Structures are given as structure tokens and as C-alpha cells.
Amino acid sequence: EASGNSVGVLMPRLTASPNVDGRFYAAAWRTMLDHLEEFSDDGIALSRNRCGVLQLAVDGDDDRLKAIAESGALPEPLLFHVNATEASEIAGVALAQSALYFPQGGWLNPKLLCAAMARNSHLEMNKNVNGVRRAGGQWEVLDDQSRTITTANIVVFANAMNATTMPELNWLPLSARRGQISFLKAQAANLRCVLGYGGYITPAHKERHCLGATFDWTDDAFGEQAVSDDDHTRNYNDLAAALPSFAKT
């Protein structure tokens, strides 16, 4: 289930050890950068700000971030480890933490990205997918009457908790989460890049910063998720805890 947020932070999730997760995300980051370059060449608007991302070392996290940079998961110029002075110069605001710096990162509109990725695809809209079956060396995607909607060599399920309603996938140990972002009236006009600190804050866009995001378990996976004032407060408090001088500006 794709994010309905107007702002999504664009950065890789790397690990210090050479495990499958780290290799996957490093390769995915290179692939995404290639796609973004292609979209730019084709003049496709993504409401993207390639401002860079600083992943700050909070709660004694500097050694782990250094290890990620030294692991070679991504080479320069895709990734740099910077000290607090260098991070402050990049961000345009005073920072007390060292950081990982992703120059090609930033933020974009997830809805526009999904549209760009699907622009050359054949779309089947308003269809209820109830399962898949293997036939003739391909996958058949089935409706609730077991009729074939389409066929494909590879099927990717991107339907969040609805995957648990499908017989082929109901064995997956999935748990529902809800996330909430918050918007804050522009307070730091000099902020030039996204700052990540467990949460994140973006540079001002249309006179607002975007803060995020909560990531909580929910027992009501299929219910409508209401905006929570408590979650807004948590986003603001997380910012203040990680960046107290910024939160006071």
C-alpha cells in the first residue's frame, strides 16, 4: 500500500556488515538513482528536491555510521562520513553530530514517483486480485472468480496487509504499522538538506518543514487511520530531543 504522503525522504538504508539487507539496499539505491536520472532526462516532474540527506549520529551512533562508510557498501561520491563541522556547513545550520552524507538523496512526492515508474506499463485498474497460479511457465493473476486478469513472468505483491487475505501469502508473518508525518511552519530558512535522526526534518517547502514519522503497531490493520494529535506531539518532541537548538529557532 503506497504512501499517501506528499513528501517522502529519499535515502538508502545501509548496514555495516555485508549482509543480504545491506547489499540489497545498496544495489537498490544505485538502481533508483539511475531511474531518477532517466526521469530527469525525460522531463518527468517528481516534485523532487535533490538537497542531500545527512543521517546524524545520535545516541552514540558515530562508530556504527563510520563502519557503514568504511564498509564500501557505497563509494564516494554516493556516500561520505562527515564530522560535525562539515555536517553544519552542508546543512546550513549548526549541528553537534557527525553524520553520513548522501549527496544524491533528498525528498520527492511518492505519488508522482509511482506514476513515473508505471508510465510505460499496461495498467489493469479497479480489479480485485484474489490469488495467483502457475501455468505455462508464467504466473496467472486471478480475480475473485478465478478468472485470469493478466499473466507475467514475475509477480510483486505491494498490497501491505491485504497480502494476508491471499492463500499463497497468508503464511507470511506480517504485522500492521501506522505512520504519521507532521508539518511545521518554516523556522529555519537556512536548512539546506534533509536531517535524519531516527525521525527526520526536510528543508522548508511552501513555507513548511515536514517531520516524521511515527511507526507504530496497530491492531486495526484494515481500519481507517485517524490523524493523532499525540503522534504530532511525538514528532515535535523527537525533533527537540535530537536537535534542541534547531527546535528552539
Side-chain angles (χ1 to χ4, degrees), residues 34-57:
D34 288 343
H35 282 302
L36 293 173
E37 193 70 25
E38 176 187 341
F39 298 152
S40 178
D41 291 344
D42 291 345
I44 298 174
L46 299 176
S47 187
R48 179 190 177 197
N49 186 349
R50 184 179 166 177
C51 56
V53 177
L54 284 168
Q55 182 179 348
L56 303 178

Short mmCIF file of all heavy atoms in Angstrom, two decimals, residues 34-57:
data_model
loop_
_atom_site.label_atom_id
_atom_site.label_comp_id
_atom_site.label_asym_id
_atom_site.label_seq_id
_atom_site.Cartn_x
_atom_site.Cartn_y
_atom_site.Cartn_z
N ASP A 34 19.60 5.66 -11.04
CA ASP A 34 19.53 5.52 -12.50
C ASP A 34 18.14 5.90 -13.00
O ASP A 34 18.00 6.59 -14.02
CB ASP A 34 19.87 4.09 -12.92
CG ASP A 34 21.35 3.75 -12.76
OD1 ASP A 34 22.16 4.70 -12.65
OD2 ASP A 34 21.68 2.55 -12.74
N HIS A 35 17.11 5.43 -12.31
CA HIS A 35 15.74 5.78 -12.71
C HIS A 35 15.50 7.28 -12.61
O HIS A 35 14.90 7.89 -13.50
CB HIS A 35 14.73 5.04 -11.84
CG HIS A 35 14.52 3.61 -12.21
ND1 HIS A 35 14.11 3.22 -13.47
CD2 HIS A 35 14.64 2.46 -11.49
CE1 HIS A 35 13.99 1.90 -13.52
NE2 HIS A 35 14.32 1.42 -12.33
N LEU A 36 15.97 7.89 -11.53
CA LEU A 36 15.75 9.32 -11.35
C LEU A 36 16.45 10.13 -12.44
O LEU A 36 15.92 11.15 -12.91
CB LEU A 36 16.25 9.75 -9.96
CG LEU A 36 15.45 9.20 -8.78
CD1 LEU A 36 16.14 9.55 -7.47
CD2 LEU A 36 14.02 9.71 -8.79
N GLU A 37 17.63 9.66 -12.84
CA GLU A 37 18.34 10.33 -13.93
C GLU A 37 17.55 10.20 -15.23
O GLU A 37 17.43 11.16 -16.00
CB GLU A 37 19.72 9.71 -14.10
CG GLU A 37 20.67 10.50 -14.99
CD GLU A 37 21.11 11.80 -14.35
OE1 GLU A 37 21.12 11.90 -13.11
OE2 GLU A 37 21.44 12.74 -15.11
N GLU A 38 16.99 9.03 -15.46
CA GLU A 38 16.17 8.80 -16.65
C GLU A 38 14.93 9.70 -16.63
O GLU A 38 14.58 10.31 -17.65
CB GLU A 38 15.74 7.34 -16.70
CG GLU A 38 14.81 6.98 -17.85
CD GLU A 38 14.29 5.56 -17.76
OE1 GLU A 38 14.91 4.74 -17.04
OE2 GLU A 38 13.25 5.27 -18.38
N PHE A 39 14.27 9.81 -15.49
CA PHE A 39 13.08 10.66 -15.38
C PHE A 39 13.43 12.11 -15.64
O PHE A 39 12.69 12.84 -16.31
CB PHE A 39 12.44 10.52 -14.01
CG PHE A 39 11.96 9.14 -13.68
CD1 PHE A 39 11.90 8.70 -12.37
CD2 PHE A 39 11.56 8.26 -14.68
CE1 PHE A 39 11.46 7.43 -12.06
CE2 PHE A 39 11.11 6.98 -14.38
CZ PHE A 39 11.07 6.57 -13.06
N SER A 40 14.57 12.54 -15.13
CA SER A 40 15.01 13.92 -15.34
C SER A 40 15.28 14.17 -16.82
O SER A 40 14.87 15.20 -17.37
CB SER A 40 16.28 14.19 -14.52
OG SER A 40 16.76 15.50 -14.75
N ASP A 41 15.95 13.22 -17.48
CA ASP A 41 16.24 13.37 -18.91
C ASP A 41 14.95 13.44 -19.73
O ASP A 41 14.89 14.12 -20.76
CB ASP A 41 17.10 12.20 -19.41
CG ASP A 41 18.51 12.24 -18.86
OD1 ASP A 41 18.93 13.30 -18.36
OD2 ASP A 41 19.20 11.20 -18.93
N ASP A 42 13.91 12.73 -19.26
CA ASP A 42 12.64 12.70 -19.98
C ASP A 42 11.72 13.85 -19.59
O ASP A 42 10.59 13.95 -20.09
CB ASP A 42 11.91 11.38 -19.73
CG ASP A 42 12.62 10.20 -20.39
OD1 ASP A 42 13.48 10.44 -21.26
OD2 ASP A 42 12.31 9.04 -20.05
N GLY A 43 12.18 14.71 -18.68
CA GLY A 43 11.39 15.86 -18.28
C GLY A 43 10.20 15.51 -17.41
O GLY A 43 9.20 16.25 -17.39
N ILE A 44 10.27 14.41 -16.67
CA ILE A 44 9.17 13.98 -15.81
C ILE A 44 9.31 14.65 -14.44
O ILE A 44 10.33 14.50 -13.77
CB ILE A 44 9.16 12.46 -15.66
CG1 ILE A 44 8.94 11.80 -17.02
CG2 ILE A 44 8.09 12.01 -14.67
CD1 ILE A 44 9.05 10.29 -17.00
N ALA A 45 8.29 15.38 -14.03
CA ALA A 45 8.31 16.11 -12.77
C ALA A 45 7.98 15.17 -11.61
O ALA A 45 7.00 14.42 -11.68
CB ALA A 45 7.33 17.27 -12.81
N LEU A 46 8.79 15.20 -10.57
CA LEU A 46 8.56 14.37 -9.39
C LEU A 46 8.41 15.21 -8.12
O LEU A 46 8.35 14.66 -7.03
CB LEU A 46 9.73 13.39 -9.19
CG LEU A 46 9.99 12.39 -10.30
CD1 LEU A 46 11.24 11.58 -9.98
CD2 LEU A 46 8.80 11.46 -10.48
N SER A 47 8.36 16.53 -8.28
CA SER A 47 8.38 17.42 -7.13
C SER A 47 9.54 17.04 -6.22
O SER A 47 9.42 16.89 -5.00
CB SER A 47 7.06 17.35 -6.36
OG SER A 47 7.01 18.32 -5.34
N ARG A 48 10.71 16.83 -6.85
CA ARG A 48 11.89 16.33 -6.15
C ARG A 48 12.82 17.47 -5.76
O ARG A 48 13.03 18.40 -6.51
CB ARG A 48 12.64 15.35 -7.04
CG ARG A 48 13.91 14.78 -6.41
CD ARG A 48 14.73 14.01 -7.44
NE ARG A 48 15.97 13.51 -6.89
CZ ARG A 48 17.00 13.10 -7.59
NH1 ARG A 48 16.94 13.11 -8.92
NH2 ARG A 48 18.11 12.67 -7.01
N ASN A 49 13.37 17.35 -4.56
CA ASN A 49 14.41 18.27 -4.12
C ASN A 49 15.66 17.45 -3.84
O ASN A 49 15.74 16.74 -2.83
CB ASN A 49 13.99 19.03 -2.85
CG ASN A 49 14.99 20.10 -2.45
OD1 ASN A 49 16.11 20.16 -2.98
ND2 ASN A 49 14.60 20.96 -1.53
N ARG A 50 16.63 17.52 -4.74
CA ARG A 50 17.89 16.79 -4.57
C ARG A 50 18.81 17.63 -3.68
O ARG A 50 19.85 18.14 -4.11
CB ARG A 50 18.53 16.53 -5.93
CG ARG A 50 19.79 15.69 -5.87
CD ARG A 50 20.34 15.45 -7.26
NE ARG A 50 21.70 14.95 -7.21
CZ ARG A 50 22.40 14.59 -8.28
NH1 ARG A 50 21.86 14.67 -9.48
NH2 ARG A 50 23.63 14.15 -8.16
N CYS A 51 18.43 17.73 -2.44
CA CYS A 51 19.13 18.59 -1.49
C CYS A 51 20.16 17.83 -0.67
O CYS A 51 20.95 18.44 0.06
CB CYS A 51 18.12 19.27 -0.56
SG CYS A 51 17.04 18.12 0.31
N GLY A 52 20.16 16.49 -0.76
CA GLY A 52 21.04 15.68 0.06
C GLY A 52 20.40 15.32 1.39
O GLY A 52 19.45 15.97 1.83
N VAL A 53 20.93 14.27 2.00
CA VAL A 53 20.46 13.82 3.31
C VAL A 53 21.66 13.63 4.23
O VAL A 53 22.65 13.01 3.84
CB VAL A 53 19.69 12.48 3.22
CG1 VAL A 53 19.28 11.99 4.61
CG2 VAL A 53 18.45 12.62 2.34
N LEU A 54 21.55 14.15 5.44
CA LEU A 54 22.52 13.89 6.49
C LEU A 54 21.88 12.96 7.52
O LEU A 54 20.88 13.32 8.14
CB LEU A 54 22.95 15.19 7.19
CG LEU A 54 23.93 16.09 6.44
CD1 LEU A 54 24.02 17.45 7.12
CD2 LEU A 54 25.32 15.44 6.35
N GLN A 55 22.42 11.77 7.67
CA GLN A 55 21.97 10.84 8.70
C GLN A 55 22.84 11.08 9.93
O GLN A 55 24.01 10.67 9.96
CB GLN A 55 22.08 9.39 8.22
CG GLN A 55 21.57 8.38 9.24
CD GLN A 55 21.68 6.96 8.73
OE1 GLN A 55 21.93 6.71 7.56
NE2 GLN A 55 21.49 5.99 9.62
N LEU A 56 22.29 11.75 10.92
CA LEU A 56 23.08 12.21 12.06
C LEU A 56 23.37 11.08 13.04
O LEU A 56 22.56 10.18 13.24
CB LEU A 56 22.33 13.34 12.78
CG LEU A 56 21.97 14.55 11.93
CD1 LEU A 56 21.20 15.57 12.76
CD2 LEU A 56 23.22 15.20 11.33
N ALA A 57 24.55 11.17 13.67
CA ALA A 57 24.94 10.21 14.70
C ALA A 57 24.34 10.66 16.02
O ALA A 57 24.86 11.57 16.67
CB ALA A 57 26.46 10.12 14.80
#
